[in-house]
Amino acid sequence: MAKLFIKQAEQYAAARPNYPIKLFEFIASKTPSHDLAWDVGTGSGQASRSLAGIYKNVIATDTSCKQLEFAAKLPNVRYELTPPTMSTSEIEKLVAPESSVDLVTIAQALHWFDLKTFYSNVKHVLKKPNGVIAAWCYTNPEVNAAVDDVFQRFYDEKLGPYWDKARRLVEDGYRGIEFPFEKIEDDDESTESKNFPVKFVTEREMVFQEFMTYLRSSSAYQTAKEKGVELLTAEMEGEFADSWKEDGIEKKVVRYPIHLLIGRVGQHRV
C-alpha cells in the first residue's frame, strides 16, 4: 500500500481533506480516559493533529517514510516508521505495552490492512474493556451538479480500471468490512433506528487547481501514471474546468461524506 502513495506524498498532504472536530469529539466521548491514542496509517498526519488536541499523547505510525516527512511536528505526537505487519514484541517496542492505549484510530486506511493480524494487535494494546477502535473512510467528493457529473464519468471510465480491489470497501462506506468489536452506534433523533457506520461530513474550500491536485493524489491516478497513462488529459481537464466555471464561483466548498466504524474492545484476550 505504501508504495502507491510515495510519489505523490506532497500532493496527498496538500490536497487531502482534514476531518471535522465533531468526528473527534464523538470518538473521544466514548473513551473514559484520554491518555494515549494510536493513529495507525497516519500518512501525513491529518488525524493525529486533531487527536493531539484531545489526548495527552499520540503515537502516529505509518509504513511510508515519505508520507511521514509531511506530517506536522507536535510536542505530544510521536511518529514511528513501522513494518507492514508487526509481532507482539514489535508492537510493544514501537507502539505501546499491552492494555495501555485508550483509542486506536485508522483514517482512510483500514481497507489496506491485513485485518486478522491488525485486529489482534489492536486487541493487545487497547485497555480492557473500554478501549475504543475508530476507523473511518470518506467517499467521493461532492461539489455541485455540473462538477459532480464530470467527476463521476472520470471516476467510472478513467480511474475505475486502476483502483486496487480494496477500493470497493471504501465505495461501500466500510459496510462490508470485518469489524469484530462491540459496535458503538449513533442515536439519530430523526429516526427510530441507530446508525452504523456513523455518518459525518468534512468540507474543504478549493479553487480549481487544488481540486485537480486532489484528483492527481489518488492511488489510481498514480498507478495509471506508472503504466504510462495520463488520465487527466488536456481534454479531460478542460471538461473539469468548464464545469467548475459554470456557476461563476472560483472557490467552492467540496464536501466529503465520512463513514465511521467505532467499537469497544471488550474483554478480549489475545
Side-chain angles (χ1 to χ4, degrees), residues 124-217:
H124 183 78
V125 300
L126 278 178
K127 292 178 180 177
K128 316 299 186 297
N130 293 317
V132 168
I133 175 173
W136 63 91
C137 65
Y138 55 85
T139 45
N140 289 339
E142 300 171 355
V143 184
N144 59 33
V147 176
D148 293 354
D149 179 66
V150 176
F151 176 85
Q152 194 60 52
R153 286 191 288 107
F154 175 70
Y155 187 87
D156 293 339
E157 299 171 13
K158 303 296 185 181
L159 292 175
Y162 297 98
W163 284 119
D164 187 275
K165 62 181 181 180
R167 177 68 187 182
R168 300 302 176 194
L169 295 169
V170 175
E171 292 175 349
D172 194 38
Y174 277 180
R175 286 188 295 271
I177 204 165
E178 179 188 357
F179 194 69
F181 298 91
E182 298 174 4
K183 294 178 182 178
I184 299 171
E185 297 171 312
D186 181 33
D187 288 310
D188 186 345
E189 295 178 358
S190 66
T191 67
E192 294 182 359
S193 62
K194 294 183 177 182
N195 292 320
F196 195 85
V198 184
K199 306 298 193 301
F200 290 88
V201 65
T202 187
E203 297 181 344
R204 176 169 180 166
E205 283 191 330
M206 289 184 175
V207 297
F208 175 68
Q209 285 304 327
E210 289 173 321
F211 190 69
M212 290 296 99
T213 299
Y214 165 76
L215 297 182
R216 290 188 174 96
S217 73

Side-chain angles (χ1 to χ4, degrees), residues 13 51 69 78 95 112 115 148 184 187 198-199 209 238 256:
L51 291 168
E69 286 179 14
R78 172 167 63 89
V95 181
W112 297 115
L115 293 181
D148 293 354
I184 299 171
D187 288 310
V198 184
K199 306 298 193 301
Q209 285 304 327
Y256 298 84

Side-chain angles (χ1 to χ4, degrees), residues 59-123:
I59 301 160
T61 63
D62 204 278
T63 60
S64 168
C65 60
K66 191 68 174 177
Q67 287 270 57
L68 291 175
E69 286 179 14
F70 296 97
K73 304 304 184 285
L74 298 169
N76 63 332
V77 178
R78 172 167 63 89
Y79 292 99
E80 287 285 351
L81 180 67
T82 58
T85 59
M86 288 183 281
S87 65
T88 299
S89 61
E90 287 174 317
I91 284 286
E92 296 200 346
K93 178 182 178 182
L94 296 174
V95 181
E98 182 177 3
S99 303
S100 65
V101 175
D102 297 297
L103 171 68
V104 174
T105 58
I106 314 97
Q108 197 71 4
L110 186 65
H111 50 287
W112 297 115
F113 293 178
D114 174 347
L115 293 181
K116 182 178 179 181
T117 301
F118 175 63
Y119 285 151
S120 177
N121 290 335
V122 168
K123 292 169 185 177

